[in-house]
Amino acid sequence: MARESAIPVIDLFAGPGGLGEGFASTLSRSGTPVYRIALSIEKDPHAYRTLLLRSFFRQFADAAPQDYYDYLMHRIDSVDALFDRHPTAAEAARSEAWQGTLGKAAPQTINRRIDEALARSRPTPWILVGGPPCQAYSVAGRSRMNGSASFADDERHTLYREYLRIIRRHQPSVFVMENVKGLLSSKHRDRLILDQILRDLSRPTRSLKYQLVALDYDDTGLFEAPEFEPENFLVHAERFGVPQNRHRIIIVGVNSSFRSTMQTSSLRLTRHDALTTCRDVINGLPKVRSSLSRGLELEGAWQRHMRSAVRAQWVRDVEQLHSVDLAKRIRQNARETDGTLGIGGRFIEADPSLPRHSEWFNDPRLPGVCNHETRGHIPADLHRYLFVSTYGECKQVSPRLRHFPDALLPAHSNVAEARGNGMFNDRFRVQLWDQPATTVTAHIAKDGHYFIHPDPTQARSLTVREAARLQSFPDNYFFEGPRTEQYRQIGNAVPPLLARQIAAVVASFIDPSLSTH
């Protein structure tokens, strides 16, 4: 299948492009793309730059040029310089990836861009994917906004209506809509938001009807209003090879004029037999140490501070709170810290090969890893990270604040409450080697306390590349913008490996001859 004859995809609220990447990377058995991204729309300037660069990467039918890899390795110092060397591909990428704000841009402009993107493909099937921003739907988001007069009027409650307007106007053959689990309980003016979304999506107009399909449901997965059970649309990403316990609402809609209800029973994801763990995807990355923030990064300071734990009172307190063995392991890990480790960087030469999923993550043309730089931590946090990660290493569970020795407790006003069973009693959370990670969220951009690396001798939070691997982004996927924005992009993204499996079942449904691999 030539790229121009591939099934077109329109990606709304695209972020850095995780959902689109899953579709774009889906190949037929002959190795040709099943889909092409006809248009992706994203408002955030940093995510858009990531999206644009990935679009450029995909413009080359056989393989990206060496210049792309030289840019990742910082041998070419700007995207503009890269694009200047390949103007045709750059122009195509700019046509495909559009920085625009849905809900604010004029509907006529959006309609025109979609019509232009699909002009070469009609009347062949096409796919609409994406999801509105999720912060207002999340449990944490609602807890911050409850009591605020602006909550009921927050535009993020109604951005799905722009998605719905596009469905009404352009009538895709199939749509895929993703959003957070918090939608299951989120209300707007005393009505469950998801109930209304499901009803709207199933019957956008009187004459337009969509069959809604639940991809990860033990029964038939077919629903019609008013028989919706919103929980049935929850997808557990860890069941499908993603190394992360990520639970998201994913709704697939099939245009009734395109396929009959009975045929949609084939739209089911196949669960994997084994879980993919943190060890499977981040253990092979280069070891790096945390850096010290607030101007404290002096020669040898990191290792001296780490090794000071050997004689620290808080470690003796661990003997009383927990066990002599745990305290002994903390001291051993402190002694084994390596002061010669670097703090990483934009690119590090290394062998990043993996024992599992190497064909998905690794690129033999990239002799190292990108976006693998640690953030700075205050000295007190280094000992906290040492304690938390050693606790996880020994007990195979992340400790709560009630397990902390007093000397390591943060100086926050709500610590006493949290030490009970209050909110944020897992303020410091280590990821465990032999389990999938906890949900990687946009909060990782804040301080990293919820995403502590499982190796105590590195005493740090996850790097952008480690977070990207837990979100199943390939290693040649480069994230643009300041590091905080890179984290935010990853936390808000759809795991591409999950998206590719969704794309595969949609392809087989559209045309059974499109067997994918």
Side-chain angles (χ1 to χ4, degrees), residues 311-365:
R311 299 173 300 279
Q313 178 61 48
W314 69 262
V315 182
R316 291 193 286 273
D317 294 341
V318 167
E319 294 181 359
Q320 304 300 317
L321 276 171
H322 300 290
S323 68
V324 171
D325 287 343
L326 178 58
K328 181 178 178 180
R329 189 61 169 268
I330 291 170
R331 294 186 180 102
Q332 177 183 339
N333 286 332
R335 291 189 186 99
E336 290 179 358
T337 53
D338 182 357
T340 66
L341 290 178
I343 61 173
R346 171 187 165 121
F347 178 78
I348 304 176
E349 290 190 12
D351 177 8
S353 58
L354 291 167
R356 296 180 64 184
H357 299 306
S358 60
E359 73 290 345
W360 172 257
F361 286 99
N362 295 148
D363 183 337
R365 297 180 62 193

Side-chain angles (χ1 to χ4, degrees), residues 128 160-175 177 195-212 223 225 228 251-257:
L128 179 71
Y160 88 93
R161 295 188 184 278
E162 177 63 13
Y163 190 95
L164 182 63
R165 186 196 68 79
I166 291 171
I167 290 175
R168 287 170 174 159
R169 168 65 169 74
H170 299 278
Q171 302 185 17
S173 309
V174 177
F175 69 75
M177 183 174 176
D195 275 348
Q196 187 60 50
I197 289 175
L198 293 173
R199 291 172 186 274
D200 288 347
L201 292 175
S202 67
R203 183 74 76 165
T205 70
R206 288 185 179 181
S207 59
L208 181 60
K209 179 180 178 182
Y210 281 83
Q211 181 73 46
L212 304 187
F223 298 93
F228 298 123
I251 305 163
V252 174
V254 178
N255 193 320
S256 60
S257 66

Side-chain angles (χ1 to χ4, degrees), residues 134-348:
C134 62
Q135 290 91 337
Y137 302 147
S138 71
V139 174
R142 296 202 311 277
S143 70
R144 287 193 299 270
M145 297 179 70
N146 278 345
S148 169
S150 64
F151 180 60
D153 297 320
D154 192 302
E155 67 174 8
R156 293 170 296 184
H157 284 303
T158 56
L159 275 176
Y160 88 93
R161 295 188 184 278
E162 177 63 13
Y163 190 95
L164 182 63
R165 186 196 68 79
I166 291 171
I167 290 175
R168 287 170 174 159
R169 168 65 169 74
H170 299 278
Q171 302 185 17
S173 309
V174 177
F175 69 75
V176 179
M177 183 174 176
E178 183 267 355
N179 224 299
V180 294
K181 183 180 178 181
L183 266 179
L184 292 174
S185 57
S186 182
K187 292 184 178 182
H188 185 212
R189 296 191 173 98
D190 297 324
R191 295 182 64 182
L192 281 173
I193 290 174
L194 187 53
D195 275 348
Q196 187 60 50
I197 289 175
L198 293 173
R199 291 172 186 274
D200 288 347
L201 292 175
S202 67
R203 183 74 76 165
T205 70
R206 288 185 179 181
S207 59
L208 181 60
K209 179 180 178 182
Y210 281 83
Q211 181 73 46
L212 304 187
V213 183
L215 295 170
D216 184 18
Y217 181 58
D218 292 327
D219 205 339
T220 63
L222 310 180
F223 298 93
E224 294 187 22
E227 300 171 356
F228 298 123
E229 292 292 340
E231 293 83 358
N232 296 336
F233 292 94
L234 196 64
V235 172
H236 295 68
E238 69 274 14
R239 294 173 174 172
F240 307 103
V242 177
Q244 178 189 162
N245 290 307
R246 189 179 191 86
H247 303 161
R248 289 292 185 266
I249 298 292
I250 298 180
I251 305 163
V252 174
V254 178
N255 193 320
S256 60
S257 66
F258 176 67
R259 286 287 187 272
S260 71
T261 298
M262 293 301 294
Q263 291 171 306
T264 56
S265 60
S266 64
L267 280 163
R268 299 292 305 283
L269 291 171
T270 301
R271 297 177 186 176
H272 292 206
D273 293 333
L275 297 175
T276 303
T277 67
C278 291
R279 188 185 303 276
D280 291 328
V281 298
I282 70 171
N283 189 38
L285 289 169
K287 286 188 174 184
V288 287
R289 65 170 176 83
S290 50
S291 59
L292 289 168
S293 59
R294 301 182 185 176
L296 299 175
E297 185 63 30
L298 303 174
E299 184 177 358
W302 181 84
Q303 188 173 42
R304 286 195 297 275
H305 185 71
M306 291 300 300
R307 292 191 174 180
S308 71
V310 173
R311 299 173 300 279
Q313 178 61 48
W314 69 262
V315 182
R316 291 193 286 273
D317 294 341
V318 167
E319 294 181 359
Q320 304 300 317
L321 276 171
H322 300 290
S323 68
V324 171
D325 287 343
L326 178 58
K328 181 178 178 180
R329 189 61 169 268
I330 291 170
R331 294 186 180 102
Q332 177 183 339
N333 286 332
R335 291 189 186 99
E336 290 179 358
T337 53
D338 182 357
T340 66
L341 290 178
I343 61 173
R346 171 187 165 121
F347 178 78
I348 304 176

Side-chain angles (χ1 to χ4, degrees), residues 252-498:
V252 174
V254 178
N255 193 320
S256 60
S257 66
F258 176 67
R259 286 287 187 272
S260 71
T261 298
M262 293 301 294
Q263 291 171 306
T264 56
S265 60
S266 64
L267 280 163
R268 299 292 305 283
L269 291 171
T270 301
R271 297 177 186 176
H272 292 206
D273 293 333
L275 297 175
T276 303
T277 67
C278 291
R279 188 185 303 276
D280 291 328
V281 298
I282 70 171
N283 189 38
L285 289 169
K287 286 188 174 184
V288 287
R289 65 170 176 83
S290 50
S291 59
L292 289 168
S293 59
R294 301 182 185 176
L296 299 175
E297 185 63 30
L298 303 174
E299 184 177 358
W302 181 84
Q303 188 173 42
R304 286 195 297 275
H305 185 71
M306 291 300 300
R307 292 191 174 180
S308 71
V310 173
R311 299 173 300 279
Q313 178 61 48
W314 69 262
V315 182
R316 291 193 286 273
D317 294 341
V318 167
E319 294 181 359
Q320 304 300 317
L321 276 171
H322 300 290
S323 68
V324 171
D325 287 343
L326 178 58
K328 181 178 178 180
R329 189 61 169 268
I330 291 170
R331 294 186 180 102
Q332 177 183 339
N333 286 332
R335 291 189 186 99
E336 290 179 358
T337 53
D338 182 357
T340 66
L341 290 178
I343 61 173
R346 171 187 165 121
F347 178 78
I348 304 176
E349 290 190 12
D351 177 8
S353 58
L354 291 167
R356 296 180 64 184
H357 299 306
S358 60
E359 73 290 345
W360 172 257
F361 286 99
N362 295 148
D363 183 337
R365 297 180 62 193
L366 187 64
V369 292
C370 306
N371 303 118
H372 190 52
E373 181 180 14
T374 59
R375 64 176 113 202
H377 300 300
I378 62 173
D381 281 343
L382 298 189
H383 280 191
R384 292 181 182 118
Y385 287 9
L386 173 64
F387 167 72
V388 170
S389 52
T390 305
Y391 190 101
E393 182 181 47
C394 293
K395 297 180 179 290
Q396 300 304 304
V397 67
S398 186
R400 304 282 179 162
L401 283 181
R402 66 177 180 272
H403 299 121
F404 276 54
D406 288 345
L408 291 187
L409 289 172
H412 295 301
S413 58
N414 62 350
V415 162
E417 178 185 355
R419 248 190 137 174
N421 274 323
M423 287 187 68
F424 310 119
N425 62 4
D426 59 346
R427 185 186 301 272
F428 295 87
R429 183 191 300 153
V430 65
Q431 304 304 315
L432 303 174
W433 279 125
D434 297 314
Q435 296 181 24
T438 55
T439 307
V440 178
T441 66
H443 187 273
I444 195 171
K446 299 292 186 182
D447 53 32
H449 293 341
Y450 283 93
F451 304 97
I452 298 171
H453 193 281
D455 179 3
T457 67
Q458 297 181 54
R460 59 177 177 83
S461 56
L462 299 177
T463 66
V464 168
R465 179 51 51 191
E466 287 161 341
R469 279 201 174 178
L470 294 176
Q471 275 280 58
S472 75
F473 279 93
D475 287 350
N476 59 20
Y477 211 109
F478 187 81
F479 294 89
E480 295 282 4
R483 187 172 59 209
T484 296
E485 296 301 325
Q486 294 170 13
Y487 280 120
R488 185 172 288 110
Q489 291 171 49
I490 292 168
N492 284 331
V494 176
L497 189 60
L498 174 63

Side-chain angles (χ1 to χ4, degrees), residues 11-20 39-43 47 51 98 102 129-131 477 489 492-494:
D11 188 3
L12 307 181
F13 308 101
L19 191 49
L39 177 67
S40 55
I41 305 176
E42 171 56 35
K43 72 171 185 176
L51 195 65
W98 178 37
L102 292 163
V129 303
Y477 211 109
Q489 291 171 49
N492 284 331
V494 176

Side-chain angles (χ1 to χ4, degrees), residues 57 85 118 148 160:
F57 173 83
R85 299 186 184 195
L118 296 175
S148 169
Y160 88 93

